[in-house]
Amino acid sequence: MTFEQAAVLVQSASDLLALGNRLETIATALADAGEPQAHHQPLADATGQVGAAMRGIFDALDAAHADGGGPFRES
């Protein structure tokens, strides 16, 4: 894995974190407004899926580093 690839993955994780935060904010607002759970639960579920995607990115970075392939080699 190159520096550039690692940088893209890190930026993607950051973007996912922002998305997860927005989804959680909306889901919480709907719940606080008394909306039925069916209206906000899918958003809460989506935050878990976003978290799983982030975990996958971090696992890929860890695996590449453990194998000596980076993200510390030049492209």
Side-chain angles (χ1 to χ4, degrees), residues 23-69:
L23 291 172
E24 183 177 12
T25 297
I26 294 167
T28 300
L30 291 172
D32 291 348
E35 291 287 329
Q37 185 171 358
H39 293 184
H40 59 84
Q41 188 60 47
L43 297 174
D45 294 344
T47 62
Q49 294 167 349
V50 168
M54 290 175 61
R55 180 82 250 152
I57 289 171
F58 296 136
D59 288 348
L61 290 168
D62 285 345
H65 180 61
D67 290 339

